[in-house]
Amino acid sequence: MAARGSRFPRQRQVLFLFLFGGLCLAGPEFGRYSVTEETERGSFVANLAKDLGLGVEALIAKRTRVISDDNKQHLLLESHTGDLLTNEKLDREKLCGPTEPCMLYFQILMDNPFQIYRAELRILDINDHSPIFQDKKMILKIPENTAVGTTFRLQRAQDSDGGQNGIQNYTISPNSFFHVTIGDSDEGMVYPELVLDKALDWEEQPEFSLTLTALDGGSPPRSGTATIHILVMDVNDNAPQFPQEVYETQAPENSPVGLIVIKVTGEDVDSGVNAEISYSFFDASEDIRATFQINPFSGEITLRALLDYEFIKSYKLNVQAVDGGGLSARCTVLVRVLDINDNPPELTMSSLVNEVVENSPETILAVFRINDRDSGENGKMVCYIQENLPFLLKPSIDNFYILMTEGALDRESRAEYNITITVSDLGTPRLTTQHTITVQVSDINDNTPAFTQTSYTIFVRENNSPALHIGTISATDSDSGSNALITYSLLPPQDPQLALASLISINADNGQLFALRALDYETLQAFEFHVGAIDRGSPALSSQALVRVVVLDDNDNAPFVLYPLQNASVPCTELLPRAAEPGYLVTKVVAVDRDSGQNAWLSFQLLKATEPGLFSVWAHNGEVRTTRLLSERDVPKHRLLLLVKDNGDPLRSASVTLHVLLVDGFSQPYLPLPEVARNTTQKEEDVLTLYLVIALASVSSLFLLSVLLFVGVRLCRRARAASLGGCPVPEGHFPGHLVDVSGTGTLSQSYQYEVCLMGGSSGTSDFKFLKPIYPEVHAYDSQGNRDENPTF
């Protein structure tokens, strides 16, 4: 058996040996109490709070409870008062039978810390049962030659009460031939004996009828009667004889009904009717008569009911043999019941906790008791739980075991445990009892919300509609219940200039992000902010993630022409020498687009021209060049309409108008760059006034100078001007009719004025026109050719 028992897991099993009649480990003896049987339910037994020295609150806090040895709830602990009360009417005879004193053992269990106290309750007997004879009529056959003083043992009465309330005396109805005496058995019971006081004479009185009365010691006493019928027999010389006084036998408790347990045989040396023997039980209890029966002719004792070792371990049978003449003999049969392993171990749960808080230290989950009603090896047990579980099984006193956690549990790793407690005996075959406990691990808020990504990038096209859903931020929490409910929020931006509250909002429940207003790529290309996720536990835990919003460009801006300026009051005029070769660079249109990517890829196209075949524009750089040589038939002034378009969808464009003036022998002079006007916003008022006066004087001087120059030229070249009928173009760097006026005063750059005189037949002359000519930002050499890489 030891080898077999070693097969169980050593770390999870506890071996407990229950030896019949051996020493049992007991807890501290606490108290001995008593209560009278048959008292009403709820009768007061004791005040445990007072006896334990604890207050009622402490008694409740320690979860004090009462457990009986027989696993029945005979007693009840009233938690509000600490009183120990009876939970039912207690019947001493049912609980203990004839055993006296009748003791009911129970335990007091307390938690925090776990303690067990042993206590006992004595059930005091009351005289609630009367003596009863199993046979209401007994027959005695007594030979007439029986000597005076001979005693005859009679069947005793049965009384379920014990002690003083049991049978104390027997009496017989008055007569002159017999009286009754009291004898003691080796079992401590009293039995009646009939004593012959006077010789019998069959011829004088062949029979007697007497009344036997049994009296108990109760107050008032109870009694029971039986009739003794005495038959006076003629002389019978020899009584039956048994070969032995005591017979011993044994029977397994699983023996079938009808099994012959033993056969007793008596002998009688007489002959005839006097030698005929009949067998019967003498002074047999009700249990014996219900379990065994004897064949009156053969003496065979057979089973009448099943044996139960756990109920009665042995029987003592008194067998009587009576011959035909009335003489008798008695013997004793001892039947020992052999235990077989027919009772599986019993597990009684005293306290159970089905839920434990995670991260808690060692916690008691269950307190239970095991028992096996078998004996010997059949009553030895091992108790264990399955391996690889974070639980311990610790033995305590009185076959109690404590199931507790081995350490802190983590709900996120495992939220539920099914613990199977297995109790197995060491009998053959082994019997096993299992009890499964489901333990739930309750959650505490020990996990922070975790985002699915550490950072998010969201792309939003500009000019979006307000309240547009642009993306979702998601976080999870390994906890459960309210500890796993997450609330999202926008954290204050690190850039104080970023008005995040006017740009983005977030749904606190599901993390959806919304753009509050239309975004403009040209204003804000990208921005970053942090989103916080906080759970609803106590204390609340939080985490954050970075969100980067990238604004995608939309083609919402048309190209803008930087040169030539289109908002000037006077259109820009480009000068083109008539001697220019094909491919001559006339000017370059400069434009930009505030969009990006392909939305900012610009292309140029010539839409309309005075001479369509004279000019061309390069599509990618905006350069306007001549396509052929100029001729005398080409008009001197040309107007070009160019289209600048981007590559977006939808396509956007802008137009620009160029004016080109053809000149003969033109070469671009050196023109100084216009002076950059200084910012005069912070100058004193008197300085500003001074500048205004100077500007006014300069403009007046220029005008006067122009008039004088005009008059002088007219007087000196009157004849030539009359012959040409128009404006002459003198040789040199500038035509003679161009007046150069340097920028002075408030003018930002130099201006040239073309002054022409009209000659009429009347001999009078007027101004043909006077208009400014804006300078080109080009450089020409002395031969009139354009310098592509000028140095200013």
Side-chain angles (χ1 to χ4, degrees):
M1 284 296 182
R4 293 181 181 178
S6 63
R7 297 176 184 176
F8 291 93
R10 295 184 177 180
Q11 296 181 351
R12 301 294 184 190
Q13 72 176 21
V14 181
L15 180 62
F16 231 75
L17 304 180
F18 298 96
L19 301 179
F20 177 75
L23 182 63
C24 181
L25 180 63
E29 295 292 341
F30 171 66
R32 294 180 173 87
Y33 305 101
S34 63
V35 65
T36 304
E37 69 167 331
E38 300 297 338
T39 56
E40 294 295 328
R41 181 179 183 274
S43 299
F44 178 80
V45 178
N47 186 277
L48 287 186
K50 180 179 178 181
D51 294 346
L52 289 169
L54 298 174
V56 177
E57 295 80 5
L59 206 67
I60 297 175
K62 288 179 174 290
R63 299 181 65 247
T64 306
R65 52 208 181 273
V66 175
I67 305 297
S68 299
D69 275 5
D70 57 0
N71 300 325
K72 296 181 180 179
Q73 199 67 27
H74 301 298
L75 299 174
L76 175 66
L77 178 61
E78 178 59 51
S79 59
H80 299 292
T81 61
D83 292 338
L84 183 64
L85 309 176
T86 58
N87 195 39
E88 61 184 2
K89 280 187 177 182
L90 300 177
D91 187 354
R92 190 202 70 84
E93 290 74 31
K94 184 177 181 181
L95 293 173
C96 300
T99 304
E100 185 63 31
C102 179
M103 306 299 296
L104 180 64
Y105 297 98
F106 63 94
Q107 290 79 31
I108 303 170
L109 277 64
M110 293 190 297
D111 296 335
N112 304 321
F114 180 74
Q115 294 174 293
I116 300 179
Y117 292 95
R118 293 201 60 181
E120 58 186 39
L121 176 66
R122 179 174 181 177
I123 311 300
L124 300 179
D125 185 45
I126 62 173
N127 193 23
D128 56 344
H129 294 86
S130 298
I132 298 175
F133 287 95
Q134 297 295 327
D135 294 329
K136 292 295 184 181
K137 185 176 182 180
M138 293 178 281
I139 298 176
L140 290 179
K141 295 179 180 181
I142 303 177
E144 62 179 339
N145 61 348
T146 301
V148 175
T150 302
T151 61
F152 302 90
R153 183 173 175 178
L154 304 176
Q155 292 188 26
R156 65 182 180 87
Q158 305 288 330
D159 194 332
S160 299
D161 295 323
Q164 189 63 30
N165 294 325
I167 297 175
Q168 301 295 325
N169 193 21
Y170 290 91
T171 62
I172 198 170
S173 57
N175 68 92
S176 59
F177 287 91
F178 298 96
H179 74 276
V180 173
T181 61
I182 304 300
D184 294 329
S185 68
D186 53 358
E187 298 174 354
M189 300 179 183
V190 296
Y191 56 90
E193 291 182 334
L194 185 65
V195 181
L196 181 61
D197 294 332
K198 185 180 177 180
L200 300 176
D201 188 353
W202 180 82
E203 291 75 15
E204 181 178 346
Q205 188 173 355
E207 60 183 29
F208 297 89
S209 182
L210 304 175
T211 300
L212 179 64
T213 302
L215 299 171
D216 62 22
S219 179
R222 292 175 177 265
S223 63
T225 60
T227 299
I228 303 175
H229 190 71
I230 301 174
L231 299 176
V232 180
M233 304 297 295
D234 198 7
V235 176
N236 183 18
D237 297 329
N238 298 286
Q241 297 291 327
F242 284 103
Q244 58 191 76
E245 293 184 358
V246 179
Y247 291 85
E248 293 186 5
T249 187
Q250 57 188 17
E253 61 176 330
N254 64 342
S255 299
V257 175
L259 175 71
I260 299 176
V261 178
I262 195 172
K263 180 179 180 180
V264 294
T265 304
E267 297 179 353
D268 195 317
V269 295
D270 291 327
S271 62
V273 175
N274 294 330
E276 294 178 357
I277 299 175
S278 63
Y279 301 94
S280 63
F281 290 130
F282 178 79
D283 194 18
S285 66
E286 184 178 358
D287 288 338
I288 291 177
R289 293 178 183 273
T291 307
F292 300 94
Q293 63 182 4
I294 187 169
N295 190 314
F297 303 108
S298 64
E300 291 179 347
I301 299 176
T302 59
L303 284 179
R304 193 173 184 178
L306 294 176
L307 302 176
D308 189 355
Y309 174 85
E310 289 71 36
F311 184 67
I312 298 177
K313 296 177 175 58
S314 64
Y315 294 90
K316 183 179 181 181
L317 310 178
N318 294 318
V319 179
Q320 177 179 256
V322 181
D323 62 15
L327 296 181
S328 63
R330 298 182 183 89
C331 69
T332 301
V333 178
L334 297 178
V335 180
R336 295 187 180 276
V337 182
L338 298 180
D339 181 41
I340 65 170
N341 195 25
D342 60 340
N343 292 282
E346 300 173 354
L347 187 150
T348 304
M349 194 65 60
S350 299
S351 64
L352 176 63
V353 177
N354 292 104
E355 188 175 56
V356 60
V357 180
E358 67 171 329
N359 298 337
S360 298
E362 293 183 353
T363 304
I364 295 178
L365 300 176
V367 177
F368 62 93
R369 187 180 187 183
I370 62 173
N371 182 43
D372 196 317
R373 297 171 60 192
D374 296 321
S375 63
E377 291 294 319
N378 297 330
K380 297 177 182 179
M381 295 175 291
V382 289
C383 182
Y384 58 92
I385 61 176
Q386 61 263 49
E387 294 184 351
N388 303 322
L389 289 181
F391 301 97
L392 293 176
L393 194 60
K394 293 185 177 180
S396 184
I397 60 175
D398 285 348
N399 310 335
F400 279 95
Y401 288 82
I402 302 172
L403 177 65
M404 60 191 307
T405 59
E406 191 173 20
L409 302 179
D410 183 14
R411 190 204 66 84
E412 288 70 38
S413 299
R414 189 169 178 179
E416 181 181 285
Y417 293 89
N418 290 319
I419 307 171
T420 301
I421 303 173
T422 303
V423 184
S424 178
D425 60 26
L426 301 182
T428 303
R430 290 191 174 188
L431 300 180
T432 299
T433 297
Q434 290 185 333
H435 186 88
T436 300
I437 299 173
T438 300
V439 177
Q440 302 286 343
V441 183
S442 60
D443 184 49
I444 65 171
N445 195 26
D446 59 342
N447 289 278
T448 59
F451 284 94
T452 55
Q453 302 173 215
T454 56
S455 62
Y456 297 82
T457 301
I458 298 175
F459 297 92
V460 183
R461 189 165 294 279
E462 66 171 331
N463 301 322
N464 57 281
S465 59
L468 175 68
H469 175 221
I470 62 175
T472 300
I473 307 302
S474 178
T476 58
D477 198 313
S478 301
D479 296 319
S480 63
S482 60
N483 296 331
L485 297 179
I486 298 175
T487 300
Y488 300 90
S489 62
L490 298 177
L491 300 181
Q494 298 179 354
D495 186 2
Q497 297 181 354
L498 179 63
L500 183 62
S502 64
L503 295 174
I504 299 295
S505 69
I506 188 170
N507 188 311
D509 297 325
N510 54 27
Q512 291 183 347
L513 292 173
F514 298 89
L516 294 179
R517 60 181 177 84
L519 301 177
D520 186 8
Y521 172 84
E522 289 71 34
T523 303
L524 185 65
Q525 286 78 33
F527 57 94
E528 295 179 349
F529 58 91
H530 286 84
V531 172
I534 184 170
D535 58 30
R536 300 181 188 177
S538 180
L541 301 177
S542 63
S543 61
Q544 61 182 22
L546 176 66
V547 179
R548 176 177 174 83
V549 177
V550 178
V551 181
L552 300 178
D553 183 42
D554 199 2
N555 194 26
D556 58 341
N557 291 279
F560 179 77
V561 178
L562 295 178
Y563 181 84
L565 293 177
Q566 297 300 298
N567 57 353
S569 59
V570 178
C572 180
T573 301
E574 301 290 342
L575 298 181
L576 174 62
R578 287 185 179 273
E581 297 291 333
Y584 178 83
L585 178 62
V586 178
T587 186
K588 181 176 183 179
V589 178
V590 179
V592 295
D593 196 316
R594 296 180 61 192
D595 296 320
S596 65
Q598 68 177 14
N599 295 330
W601 296 350
L602 301 181
S603 61
F604 302 85
Q605 179 182 356
L606 181 61
L607 291 180
K608 188 182 297 184
T610 304
E611 291 288 342
L614 180 57
F615 299 97
S616 66
V617 59
W618 287 20
H620 300 296
N621 57 13
E623 293 181 351
V624 180
R625 296 178 180 269
T626 58
T627 59
R628 60 177 175 81
L629 291 173
L630 298 175
S631 66
E632 292 295 334
R633 293 178 299 176
D634 292 327
V635 297
K637 294 182 180 180
H638 294 267
R639 182 177 178 271
L640 307 179
L641 179 61
L642 279 73
L643 178 68
V644 183
K645 58 183 179 180
D646 56 25
N647 197 36
D649 184 18
L651 183 144
R652 293 182 180 273
S653 62
S655 62
V656 57
T657 301
L658 291 178
H659 294 271
V660 179
L661 178 64
L662 302 183
V663 293
D664 294 326
F666 173 79
S667 64
Q668 181 69 34
Y670 169 76
L671 298 177
L673 290 175
E675 296 181 359
V676 179
R678 297 183 180 179
N679 187 6
T680 60
T681 57
Q682 299 181 356
K683 293 185 177 182
E684 297 297 330
E685 184 177 354
D686 54 345
V687 176
L688 181 59
T689 303
L690 178 61
Y691 284 173
L692 292 175
V693 172
I694 295 174
L696 182 58
S698 300
V699 172
S700 301
S701 301
L702 288 174
F703 179 76
L704 181 58
L705 181 60
S706 300
V707 173
L708 294 177
L709 182 59
F710 169 73
V711 173
V713 170
R714 182 175 180 274
L715 294 176
C716 295
R717 301 183 179 178
R718 181 175 183 179
R720 184 177 180 181
S723 62
L724 291 175
C727 294
V729 182
E731 296 180 357
H733 296 292
F734 283 98
H737 60 281
L738 294 180
V739 180
D740 184 14
V741 181
S742 298
T744 58
T746 58
L747 299 179
S748 60
Q749 58 183 340
S750 299
Y751 291 84
Q752 295 176 357
Y753 287 85
E754 180 181 4
V755 183
C756 298
L757 298 177
M758 292 292 293
S761 58
S762 58
T764 61
S765 298
D766 296 318
F767 285 111
K768 182 180 180 182
F769 57 84
L770 177 61
K771 62 178 181 179
I773 297 178
Y774 296 91
E776 282 282 338
V777 189
H778 300 301
Y780 296 88
D781 56 16
S782 59
Q783 301 300 324
N785 295 324
R786 187 170 180 174
D787 189 359
E788 297 294 339
N789 297 302
T791 301
F792 294 94

